[in-house]
Amino acid sequence: MSTFTIVSLVILVILIIACIVLYFLGKKAEKKQAEQQAQLDAASQTISMLIIDKGRLRLKEAGLPAIVVENTPKYLRRSKVPVVKAKVGPRIMTLMCDAEIYPLIPVKKEVKATVSGIYITGVRGLRGPLDTPQKKKGFFARMKDKASKAQK
């Protein structure tokens, strides 16, 4: 056997082992995420709130409680998270938000939000439906539109 076939077989075996390990790690992470989602759903409550401001900020700059920053892993402390400042009853609170619903949250409007602790998991309009933002067009879609306008 040549050295090329031996090297190819070793690389193939390593790739197969890596795929198997990643499969089992993925299954484990999926189960853990499902458990966490069940805990969030169990602790959630619906609250009406007035959204004052929203933005993507670092955890230290967001004004979240110190225990939240301490419990966050060190490698995630510098990442930007969606943060919403809202008036809940007489108090002004800083809340974290799910990245999927962050674009739906209107500023300076009253909404009914599903909140679990300091984490907003769902939002709907208090007076009528929420405005859904337009989805950004990709590069090729914009170029296609420019080309069609140029032809007309």
Side-chain angles (χ1 to χ4, degrees):
M1 277 203 328
S2 69
T3 57
F4 176 74
T5 55
I6 293 172
V7 170
S8 299
L9 286 174
V10 168
I11 291 174
L12 184 65
V13 168
I14 291 172
L15 285 176
I16 290 172
I17 291 171
C19 287
I20 292 170
V21 167
L22 286 175
Y23 173 77
F24 286 113
L25 287 176
K27 283 285 194 185
K28 187 176 178 181
E30 191 175 304
K31 287 179 185 176
K32 191 174 183 180
Q33 195 246 353
E35 290 173 8
Q36 288 175 346
Q37 187 64 37
Q39 288 176 349
L40 275 176
D41 292 341
S44 66
Q45 55 186 336
T46 304
I47 300 172
S48 65
M49 60 177 68
L50 175 70
I51 306 297
I52 297 171
D53 192 21
K54 71 177 189 173
R56 290 188 177 272
L57 301 170
R58 290 197 166 89
L59 280 176
K60 291 181 180 179
E61 300 167 357
L64 294 168
I67 195 158
V68 173
V69 178
E70 290 171 8
N71 288 338
T72 306
K74 291 198 187 256
Y75 64 93
L76 290 176
R77 289 184 187 171
R78 297 196 58 178
S79 64
K80 291 188 175 183
V81 293
V83 176
V84 175
K85 226 177 194 163
K87 184 175 182 185
V88 182
R91 291 181 25 196
I92 294 177
M93 298 176 69
T94 304
L95 304 166
M96 286 179 63
C97 177
D98 195 310
E100 295 166 0
I101 65 159
Y102 176 74
L104 300 175
I105 297 176
V107 179
K108 298 195 173 39
K109 289 194 180 174
E110 204 166 351
V111 295
K112 267 201 184 289
T114 307
V115 179
S116 180
I118 62 164
Y119 195 71
I120 301 174
T121 57
V123 69
R124 56 183 193 271
L126 193 65
R127 295 172 182 87
L130 293 175
D131 298 333
T132 54
Q134 286 184 343
K135 193 171 185 179
K136 290 184 179 179
K137 288 186 178 180
F139 176 75
F140 290 111
R142 286 194 309 257
M143 291 301 134
K144 192 175 180 182
D145 287 347
K146 284 183 181 179
S148 64
K149 285 181 183 178
Q151 285 181 349
K152 292 181 182 178

